């Protein structure tokens, strides 16, 4: 007769199908010499034999799977019958012998873990479906634990999962009896970043006591990101760790409050982090793939409790592919000054998986268009506490190939701060390759520009067709394969849209650099002001149009008393286009939503609702315009005069021989600016298409797994959502729950500094109180007024005409409010940012990139915004 129990290291992994996924993984680890606690494994046939002896034929697992519907009460009865039945004597004797052997090795308590044949597989995890019982001390408790693991098979969600797998799936539950580890610190690690797919780092979650509190999401753990190659810390976030799970001497576990001083300390030492990094690397190499590892530490000994496969969106960063001299991560300069304007705050995993790939590819194309080479393993972007950052050190290294432009020029154009640590990479970069490629680069630049207008015309026809086709499709009616194809189509459309937008951006950047160089050469004292004035009031800039259209609708509403009254007096959170009385205002707003409804606050975040879904800001702008007295026509005339004066000054400053070339260059800058803004709107519209797919995917996930909650797809990567659509058996509820907790924790953390070196500091530095704040001049003019600090779209109605709008990041979704403000102050952004372009169109004085503006300024303070000098002065309360 086959053996009932087998020592874990005696189980041969390739012959362990009947033992289940958990046993197979532990056996592979134990046989390879990894520190696995003493354990015995019981194959699934033991449970099958037990069910045959104690259950009616109709109540056995295979028969239940063939039954169309089984009530919860029937399953409960079956579970109770199985738990109350006596185990065969050979099982009892084998368990008794195994416990005795482990006690002789020092074990006091035991964990009984399920190891089903359908869990912890490469293609199906079934994580969390079956039970685990911790710190069972007596023999009878272990025997009961075995029956409870077996009985967990008779749960509605398990049967539903098994039905989805099909009739051929093995339906058995093996068991692992494992010596308990009295963990001081424990948790989980991922051998690559499970959200970004970055294979060059290890992500570790750690808390005090047993790891069950981390796995179950009952405690907020510390999170560490460790560079796999060097062992250097990329980032760490100290979690709350308010409680810990400890072994109870009498058996079972107990929850203990962690003293406040210990909560604030890191659970892991530097030495322990390095040990875990080494362990992660060895496990990954042994299995030849990414693994999710549960671990525990006692003293300085690390134990591996289990290791299961994980699926990551895509692999970024290949081991062994780093350049000959690995860069010291402690000296890397990170910044979100410009990119954070497009995507401020914490990104959901779905958005990160879309935009990280899009941004990385886009930056590579843009650098290539400038004639720069980009190392294949270059780490261009990263995320810190859920926020997206660009690697200024890598950017500077690439841009320093251009011999006549110092990278600091481009850094400041983007709104970043040039740190002294960047000088080192500039000094070591050669321009030889760039100069050798220069003829080819110039030829390509001329060729692309020659066809650019025709290419954009062709693209716009294609985009209009795709928009119409996709908007005609109802995702709710699609089969899973159809929804997956729709997701692929949207990805392809984003790639096409991004490609042409980045071509326009690269051309804009090239033309701007040349224009700035000319202005600094021939009008050095006035170059910054001239640049802003030359690019003000361009007209027909797409990102500025929503604000103009809403202002005109407000003027229309002044002749539509019923609609104007509803807008002035209605509850903004309840207002909608359909709630307005029929008439010209309602008709105009309906057309506005049709054209611009895909825009919104934080519109690059796919999880955020659009104006069509939440029109709060739209109605807030209308209310402000109804209360104000802005004369837009007069403002546009003033802008035109300012622009003409700037053009005349440039004409007078440059030599006669260059004037025609400068005029053409200026026309090119304006043309590329319009192109970029129009194409950015197309990108935002494509992100809205991603949102439609994700919302429908979320609906299907919640129907399949109610515990996943609403909008679950936003907490998956694109690859993970695609896997859900491909495989009816894929279960993601636990993954989604953990990521929700991490997302909320990251949102609760203060924003890291706009620019930092190495990794963000644990604590936000105190904000010095100064009467004069400095930033970057974005839109000329001077304005005075009360500071109105807005942190959320729901606060939009608080802005009244004549106030200074102060926001962390003026992404284009705030644009309708810009016209209603006397001036604008932002913490992020640069002269080339989308918000700066819009503000110049509106002739609203603005200063961007003012560090900690929302904290340094107080609500209601009287301030002066100087959009020419780039300063914000506090005048009084």
């Amino acid at each position: 007769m086959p053996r009932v129990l087998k020592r874990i290291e005696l189980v041969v992994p390739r012959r362990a199908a009947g033992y289940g996924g958990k046993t197979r993984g532990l056996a592979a680890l134990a046989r390879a010499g990894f520190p696995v606690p003493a354990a015995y494994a019981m194959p699934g046939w033991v449970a099958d034999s037990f069910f045959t002896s104690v259950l009616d034929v109709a109540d056995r697992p295979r028969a239940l799977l063939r039954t169309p519907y089984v009530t919860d009460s029937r399953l409960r009865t079956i579970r109770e019958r199985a738990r109350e039945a006596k185990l065969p004597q050979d099982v009892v004797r084998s368990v008794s012998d195994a416990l005795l052997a482990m006690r002789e090795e020092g074990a006091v308590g035991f964990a009984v873990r399920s190891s089903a044949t359908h869990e912890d597989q490469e293609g199906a995890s079934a994580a969390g479906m079956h039970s685990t019982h911790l710190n069972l001390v007596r023999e009878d408790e272990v025997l009961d634990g075995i029956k409870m693991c077996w009985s967990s098979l008779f749960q509605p969600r398990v049967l539903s999962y098994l039905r989805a797998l099909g009739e051929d799936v093995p339906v058995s539950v093996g068991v692992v009896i494992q010596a308990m580890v009295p963990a001081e610190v424990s948790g989980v690690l991922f051998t690559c970043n499970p959200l970004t797919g970055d294979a060059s780092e290890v992500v570790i979650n750690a808390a005090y006591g047993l790891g069950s509190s981390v796995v179950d999401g009952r405690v907020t753990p510390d999170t560490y990101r460790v560079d796999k190659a060097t062992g250097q810390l990329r980032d760490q976030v100290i979690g709350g760790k308010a409680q810990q799970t400890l072994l109870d001497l009498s058996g079972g576990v107990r929850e203990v409050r962690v003293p406040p001083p210990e909560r604030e300390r890191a659970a892991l030492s530097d030495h322990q982090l390095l040990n875990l990094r080494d362990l992660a690397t060895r496990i990954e190499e042994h299995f030849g793939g990414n693994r999710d590892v549960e671990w525990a530490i006692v003293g300085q000994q690390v134990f591996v409790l289990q290791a299961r496969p994980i699926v990551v969106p895509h692999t970024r960063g290949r081991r062994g592919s780093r350049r000959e001299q690995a860069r010291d991560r402690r000296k890397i300069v990170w910044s979100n000054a410009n990119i954070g304007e497009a995507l401020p705050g914490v990104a959901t995993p779905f958005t990160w998986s879309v935009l990280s790939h899009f941004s990385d590819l886009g930056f590579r194309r843009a650098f290539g268009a400038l004639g720069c080479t980009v190392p294949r393993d270059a780490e261009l972007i990263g995320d810190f506490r859920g926020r997206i950052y660009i690697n200024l050190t890598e950017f500077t290294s690439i841009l320093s190939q251009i011999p006549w432009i110092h990278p600091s020029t481009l850094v400041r154009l983007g709104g970043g701060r040039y740190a002294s640590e960047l000088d080192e990479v500039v000094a070591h970069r050669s321009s030889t390759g760039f100069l050798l490629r220069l003829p080819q680069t110039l030829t390509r630049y001329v060729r692309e520009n020659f066809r650019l207008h025709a290419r954009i015309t062709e693209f716009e026809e294609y985009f209009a067709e795709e928009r119409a086709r996709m908007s005609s499709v109802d995702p709710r009616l699609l089969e899973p394969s159809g929804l997956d194809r729709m997701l692929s189509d949207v990805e392809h459309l984003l790639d096409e849209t991004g490609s042409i937008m980045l071509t326009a951006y690269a051309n804009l950047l090239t033309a701007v650099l040349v224009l700035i160089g000319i202005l600094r050469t021939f009008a050095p004292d006035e170059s910054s002001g001239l640049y802003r004035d030359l690019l003000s009031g361009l007209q027909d800039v797409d990102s500025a149009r929503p604000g103009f259209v809403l202002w005109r609708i407000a003027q229309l509403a002044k002749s539509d008393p019923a609609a104007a009254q509803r807008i002035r007096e209605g509850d903004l959170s309840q207002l909608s286009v359909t709630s307005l009385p029929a008439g010209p205002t309602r008709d105009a707003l309906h057309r506005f939503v049709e054209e611009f409804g895909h825009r919104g606050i934080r519109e690059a975040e796919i999880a955020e609702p659009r104006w069509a879904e939440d029109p709060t800001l739209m109605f807030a702008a209308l209310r402000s315009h109804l209360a104000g007295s802005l004369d837009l026509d007069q403002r546009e005339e003033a802008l035109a005069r300012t622009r003409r004066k700037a053009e005349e000054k440039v004409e007078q400053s440059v030599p006669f021989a260059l004037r025609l070339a400068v005029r053409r260059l200026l026309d090119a800058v304006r043309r590329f600016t319009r192109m970029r803004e129009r194409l950015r709107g197309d990108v935002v519209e494509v992100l809205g298409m991603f949102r439609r797919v994700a919302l429908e995917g979320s609906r299907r996930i919640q129907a399949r797994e109610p515990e996943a909650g609403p909008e679950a797809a936003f907490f998956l990567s694109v690859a993970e959502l695609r896997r859900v659509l491909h495989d009816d058996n894929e279960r993601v509820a636990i993954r989604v729950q953990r990521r929700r907790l991490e997302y909320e924790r990251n949102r609760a953390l203060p924003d890291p500094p706009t620019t930092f070196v190495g990794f963000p500091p644990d604590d936000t530095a105190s904000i010095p109180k100064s009467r004069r704040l400095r930033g970057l001049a974005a839109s000329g003019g001077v304005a005075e007024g009360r500071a109105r600090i807005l942190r959320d779209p729901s606060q939009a109605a608080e802005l009244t005409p004549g106030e200074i709008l102060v926001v962390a990041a003026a992404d284009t979704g705030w644009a309708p409010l810009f016209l209603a403000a006397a001036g604008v102050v932002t913490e992020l952004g640069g002269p080339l940012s989308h918000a700066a372009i819009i503000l110049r169109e509106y002739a609203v004085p603005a200063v961007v990139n003012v560090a900690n503006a929302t904290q340094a300024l107080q609500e209601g303070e009287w301030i002066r915004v100087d959009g020419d000098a780039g300063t914000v002065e506090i005048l009084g309360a």
Side-chain angles (χ1 to χ4, degrees):
M1 183 176 180
R3 294 169 62 180
V4 171
L5 282 174
K6 186 179 286 189
R7 186 82 179 194
I8 195 70
E9 56 267 28
L10 298 180
V11 177
V12 180
R14 67 177 180 273
R15 300 174 185 168
Y19 283 86
K22 191 176 280 92
T23 295
R24 186 166 58 250
L26 281 170
L29 290 166
R31 291 168 70 88
F34 287 95
V36 174
Y40 282 80
M42 183 180 292
W45 68 260
V46 181
D48 297 341
S49 176
F50 176 71
F51 293 147
T52 299
S53 65
V54 303
L55 297 177
D56 296 336
V57 172
D59 290 341
R60 295 170 193 169
R62 187 63 67 182
L64 291 174
L65 289 177
R66 289 193 292 266
T67 305
Y69 177 70
V70 183
T71 65
D72 291 355
S73 60
R74 181 182 172 187
L75 290 175
R76 187 163 50 250
T77 300
I78 295 171
R79 290 197 301 270
E80 291 171 356
R81 190 182 308 156
R83 290 173 186 169
E84 291 170 0
K86 289 186 178 181
L87 289 168
Q89 281 303 306
D90 60 333
V91 173
V92 175
R93 283 194 301 270
S94 296
V95 171
S96 180
D97 292 344
L99 297 183
L100 179 61
M102 287 189 283
R103 283 195 175 104
E104 289 176 351
E105 297 176 33
V108 175
F110 306 93
V112 177
R113 305 177 186 272
S114 66
S115 178
T117 53
H118 49 268
E119 67 177 339
D120 289 355
Q121 307 294 315
E122 293 285 350
S125 68
M129 284 199 174
H130 295 282
S131 59
T132 292
H133 306 277
L134 301 178
N135 199 30
L136 306 177
V137 177
R138 302 190 312 273
E139 182 178 307
D140 64 313
E141 292 176 331
V142 174
L143 295 172
D144 285 342
I146 292 170
K147 289 190 288 184
M148 285 190 283
C149 282
W150 289 345
S151 301
S152 65
L153 184 60
F154 302 102
Q155 298 181 88
R157 62 174 181 165
V158 176
L159 290 181
S160 174
Y161 178 81
L162 290 171
R163 285 194 187 99
L165 286 176
E167 292 187 1
D168 297 332
V169 65
V171 186
S172 295
V173 180
V175 170
V176 175
I177 305 173
Q178 192 176 54
M180 281 299 301
V181 175
E184 298 165 2
V185 181
S186 56
V188 296
L189 67 80
F190 303 91
T191 61
C192 72
N193 191 310
L195 292 182
T196 67
D198 190 344
S200 67
E201 68 180 16
V202 177
V203 179
I204 301 170
N205 293 329
Y208 301 122
L210 303 182
S212 57
S213 59
V214 177
V215 174
D216 297 342
R218 288 180 287 110
V219 68
T220 304
D222 296 346
T223 300
Y224 308 85
R225 292 169 52 208
V226 183
D227 186 77
K228 198 177 290 183
T230 65
Q232 293 174 2
L233 195 62
R234 292 189 178 185
D235 191 16
Q236 71 173 17
V237 178
I238 305 302
K241 305 189 299 294
Q243 62 185 28
Q244 59 181 323
T245 305
L246 299 177
L247 302 182
D248 195 303
L249 295 178
S250 60
V253 298
R254 57 195 174 92
E255 300 295 325
V256 177
R257 301 293 293 177
V258 176
E262 291 185 33
R263 300 178 195 176
E264 298 170 5
R265 287 198 292 267
L268 293 173
S269 67
D270 292 344
H271 179 69
Q272 290 171 327
L273 277 175
L274 284 175
N275 284 344
L276 288 171
R277 186 282 307 256
D278 294 341
L279 179 68
T281 303
R282 289 167 50 213
I283 289 176
E284 184 179 56
E285 290 175 347
H286 177 71
F287 285 103
N290 302 308
R291 284 297 183 274
D292 167 358
V293 181
E294 291 185 29
W295 53 270
I297 295 178
V298 181
Q300 292 303 313
Q301 176 66 53
V302 181
F303 290 94
V304 182
L305 306 181
Q306 63 176 306
R308 62 170 65 92
I310 57 173
V311 179
V312 295
H314 62 277
T315 300
R316 206 166 40 83
R318 297 168 292 281
R319 294 194 312 278
S321 68
R322 293 300 294 175
R323 57 205 69 176
E324 292 181 8
Q325 294 184 336
R327 184 163 286 139
D328 187 345
R329 300 196 66 85
R330 292 167 297 186
K331 295 182 179 179
I332 292 179
V333 182
W334 297 92
S335 176
N336 72 342
N338 190 283
I339 200 168
E341 181 211 40
L343 182 55
V346 180
T348 58
F350 189 79
T351 296
W352 173 261
S353 69
V354 171
L355 292 187
S356 60
H357 175 70
F358 174 76
S359 300
D360 185 83
L361 183 62
F363 284 132
R364 290 176 183 275
R365 286 172 172 168
F367 287 136
L370 290 172
C372 300
T373 57
V374 183
R376 290 181 58 194
D377 61 348
E379 183 184 2
L380 300 177
I381 59 172
D383 83 293
F384 292 88
R385 298 156 200 194
R387 285 88 167 166
I388 188 168
Y389 278 76
I390 61 172
N391 185 339
L392 274 188
T393 300
E394 197 78 78
F395 272 51
T396 302
S397 177
I398 295 167
L399 291 169
S400 63
Q401 298 172 58
I402 306 175
W404 55 82
I405 297 174
H406 197 278
S408 61
T409 302
L410 288 172
V411 169
R412 292 184 177 114
L413 270 176
R417 287 177 171 80
Y418 188 81
S420 59
E421 287 83 357
L422 299 175
D423 288 326
E424 181 180 335
V425 296
V426 174
H428 289 86
R429 196 74 183 198
S430 170
S431 299
T432 303
F434 173 86
L435 293 172
L436 290 174
R437 290 187 302 275
L438 188 56
Q440 180 183 353
T441 301
L442 291 174
T443 301
R444 184 176 64 246
Y445 180 81
V446 171
R447 185 176 64 249
E448 286 186 353
N449 275 280
F450 180 75
R451 282 207 71 252
L452 187 57
H453 182 73
R455 184 182 169 196
I456 289 179
T457 300
E458 293 169 3
F459 167 79
E460 287 176 338
E461 293 174 357
Y462 160 75
F463 187 85
E465 291 173 0
E466 286 295 283
R467 178 203 290 127
R469 181 178 68 84
M470 290 191 191
S471 63
S472 68
V473 175
D474 186 345
R476 295 171 299 177
L477 305 179
L478 295 175
E479 293 291 326
S481 59
L483 191 61
D484 179 59
R485 282 195 299 275
M486 184 176 182
L487 180 57
S488 296
D489 289 345
V490 176
E491 284 187 290
H492 177 70
L493 186 58
L494 179 65
D495 186 61
E496 291 291 315
T497 309
S499 173
I500 196 164
M501 184 190 79
L502 290 162
T503 299
Y505 184 72
N507 288 336
L508 171 63
L509 188 59
T510 302
V512 164
L513 289 172
V514 176
L515 177 62
I516 288 176
I518 290 172
L519 293 177
R520 286 180 176 173
T521 300
F522 298 106
D525 298 332
E526 302 175 278
S527 59
S528 297
L530 282 175
Y531 172 79
R532 289 192 303 275
D533 292 343
L534 288 169
L535 297 181
S536 296
L538 299 184
Q539 301 177 350
D540 296 328
V541 173
D542 266 40
S543 49
R545 285 188 62 228
F548 287 137
V549 174
L550 280 176
W551 179 84
R552 293 188 177 94
I553 293 175
Q555 308 317 301
L556 179 67
K558 290 177 180 179
S559 302
D560 187 357
Q565 182 179 5
R566 184 72 58 85
I567 294 169
R568 287 192 183 101
E569 300 174 3
D571 181 351
L572 279 187
S573 64
Q574 301 298 318
L575 281 178
S576 66
V577 175
T578 55
S579 71
L580 296 180
T585 304
R586 175 171 165 172
D587 293 342
L589 278 174
H590 179 73
R591 291 191 296 272
F592 178 89
V593 170
E594 283 187 335
E595 185 172 4
F596 303 111
H598 60 278
R599 310 303 295 258
I601 297 292
R602 296 187 74 233
E603 58 195 8
E605 170 52 67
I606 301 170
E608 289 288 341
R610 275 39 184 166
W611 289 341
E613 302 168 76
D614 179 5
T616 301
L617 186 131
M618 185 174 80
F619 282 105
L622 287 172
R623 182 176 290 181
S624 294
H625 290 319
L626 287 172
S629 57
L630 170 65
D631 187 334
L632 195 56
D633 294 332
Q634 187 179 44
R635 183 176 288 190
E636 289 178 350
E637 290 174 6
L639 272 177
R641 287 195 299 272
T642 300
R643 191 173 64 252
R644 284 195 297 271
K645 286 181 181 179
E647 290 169 352
E648 291 170 1
K649 192 166 291 186
V650 171
E651 288 271 334
Q652 296 167 3
S653 301
V654 301
F656 179 80
L658 291 178
R659 288 178 186 174
L660 178 59
V662 171
R663 281 197 294 271
R664 290 181 175 174
L665 175 63
L666 184 55
D667 288 341
V669 171
R670 291 168 173 168
R671 184 172 67 255
F672 292 140
T673 298
R674 293 189 185 97
M675 282 183 188
R676 185 185 76 150
E677 294 305 296
R678 184 168 71 253
L679 291 164
R680 185 191 185 276
D682 292 341
V683 168
V684 171
E685 195 161 0
V686 177
L687 296 181
M689 297 175 191
F690 273 107
R691 178 170 170 79
R692 290 183 68 208
V693 175
L695 287 172
E696 174 56 21
S698 297
R699 187 188 67 79
R700 298 183 187 199
I701 291 169
Q702 189 173 18
R704 182 190 300 177
E705 300 178 83
E707 61 272 28
E711 301 192 341
F714 295 112
F715 297 92
L716 301 175
S717 68
V718 170
E720 289 168 337
L721 176 58
R722 177 162 282 126
R723 182 165 173 151
V724 169
L725 297 175
H726 273 292
D727 186 356
D728 289 340
N729 310 318
E730 181 72 6
R731 292 298 183 267
V732 296
I734 292 177
R735 194 182 315 163
V736 167
Q737 290 165 0
R738 290 181 188 169
R739 288 181 183 172
R740 279 189 204 275
L741 288 172
E742 184 176 9
Y743 176 76
E744 292 302 329
R745 184 210 52 191
N746 284 336
R747 288 184 64 190
L749 292 171
D751 287 329
T754 301
T755 302
F756 60 84
V757 181
F759 60 88
D762 291 332
D763 300 316
T764 302
S766 59
I767 308 301
K769 189 64 176 177
S770 171
R771 308 294 293 182
R772 192 180 186 86
L773 309 178
R774 292 196 171 275
L776 297 174
S779 181
V782 177
E784 292 185 12
R786 300 268 177 207
R788 176 63 64 184
I789 301 172
L790 300 186
R791 295 182 172 85
D792 186 85
S794 64
Q795 301 172 317
E798 298 173 11
L799 179 72
T800 59
E803 291 184 325
I804 306 295
L805 175 63
V806 183
V807 289
D811 68 276
T812 54
W814 287 104
L817 285 186
F818 292 170
L819 266 176
V824 173
V825 178
T826 79
E827 292 181 345
L828 299 177
L832 280 183
S833 67
H834 300 285
I837 291 170
I838 295 170
L839 287 160
R840 288 194 288 269
E841 284 295 287
Y842 293 165
V844 175
V847 180
V848 300
N849 214 253
V850 181
N852 304 305
T854 58
Q855 299 173 63
L857 298 173
Q858 299 297 315
E859 186 83 26
E861 281 183 325
W862 194 267
I863 62 175
R864 176 189 291 127
V865 176
D866 190 331
D868 297 306
T871 60
V872 179
E873 189 175 355
I874 301 172
L875 302 178

